[in-house]
Amino acid sequence: MNVSALMKALGAMSLALVLVASGVTSAFAQWSGPWVGVHGGVANSTTSILGLIDDTDNEFVGGISAGFDVRLGRTVVVGVFTDYTFMDVSAAFGPATVSLDEQWTIGGRAGVLLGDVLAYVMLGAVQQATGDNIPTVTVSDFDGMMYGVGAEALITNNISLAGEVRYVTFSESLSTGGPLTLPLDTEQVTAMVRLNYRFGGFPNPLDPAK
């Protein structure tokens, strides 16, 4: 699966969200407050050494999320979130394999309400747990940045469904135990769907009715 296919998948998910939200009235639009969720999707990862040797893997991913959103006025929503994603992505370089196992993300998002659908952009920091089968080489955990877009629709007063595409980039190195280190770069594109439970109950600080 390539980036183009993942973007098409997001488009299909976004259309489905709009159709689902068409039956939800604006009275349900309680976007302010904490939320928790579960997510699943497909990750496409390309890892390269020295920018010359690379390997690509596609795997299913899943995890849990939590966040807090605030609705500002009628159309703007901002928030923070964190999530944990488990995966089994690997890059093979001959007999050597580098694995990407677990991923933590913390970030923020900002979006605009189109009826009861929230279209948003995301920015965050990512830590990726890694492993390898090379006794003489050490691969440290990756630290990188995440950029993403998504759409979220309220299904009921407290339940929402979201579709996202995230792009994550890492630039790390392989340590051979001596003075030699090898640049190791990873690009990852993930398309995912998330089901959230929204607790609500947080006042809109810019509510024009107040």
Side-chain angles (χ1 to χ4, degrees), residues 53 55 91-97 133:
I53 308 171
D55 186 43
F93 304 96
T97 299
N133 66 344

Side-chain angles (χ1 to χ4, degrees), residues 29-202:
Q30 299 179 6
W31 289 95
S32 292
W35 57 268
V36 294
V38 294
H39 60 266
V42 178
N44 174 272
S45 296
T46 300
T47 300
S48 63
I49 296 178
L50 296 172
L52 301 174
I53 308 171
D54 61 65
D55 186 43
T56 299
D57 192 18
N58 303 297
E59 295 290 344
F60 289 102
V61 300
I64 55 176
S65 310
F68 194 99
D69 291 327
V70 177
R71 181 174 177 177
L72 304 175
R74 296 186 181 277
T75 60
V76 176
V77 176
V78 297
V80 295
F81 66 90
T82 184
D83 55 50
Y84 163 80
T85 302
F86 60 86
M87 58 183 62
D88 186 18
V89 176
S90 61
F93 304 96
T97 299
V98 176
S99 62
L100 308 181
D101 305 318
E102 301 173 314
Q103 189 177 94
W104 286 95
T105 303
I106 183 169
R109 67 176 186 168
V112 176
L113 285 168
L114 308 173
D116 289 301
V117 176
L118 176 66
Y120 56 91
V121 296
M122 300 177 292
L123 178 66
V126 179
Q127 184 175 67
Q128 176 78 61
T130 64
D132 66 83
N133 66 344
I134 318 167
T136 60
V137 171
T138 300
V139 183
S140 60
D141 289 349
F142 294 173
D143 294 309
M145 293 297 297
M146 182 276 295
Y147 312 89
V149 295
E152 182 175 353
L154 289 161
I155 302 174
T156 70
N157 192 39
N158 297 103
I159 297 176
S160 65
L161 183 66
E164 295 178 353
V165 169
R166 299 184 178 190
Y167 171 76
V168 179
T169 178
F170 304 104
S171 293
E172 299 291 341
S173 61
L174 296 175
S175 173
T176 61
L180 179 63
T181 60
L182 301 176
L184 183 69
D185 299 309
T186 297
E187 292 184 343
Q188 186 178 90
V189 179
T190 303
M192 68 172 65
V193 176
R194 190 176 64 246
L195 184 67
N196 299 327
Y197 181 84
R198 293 185 159 274
F199 295 92
F202 189 81

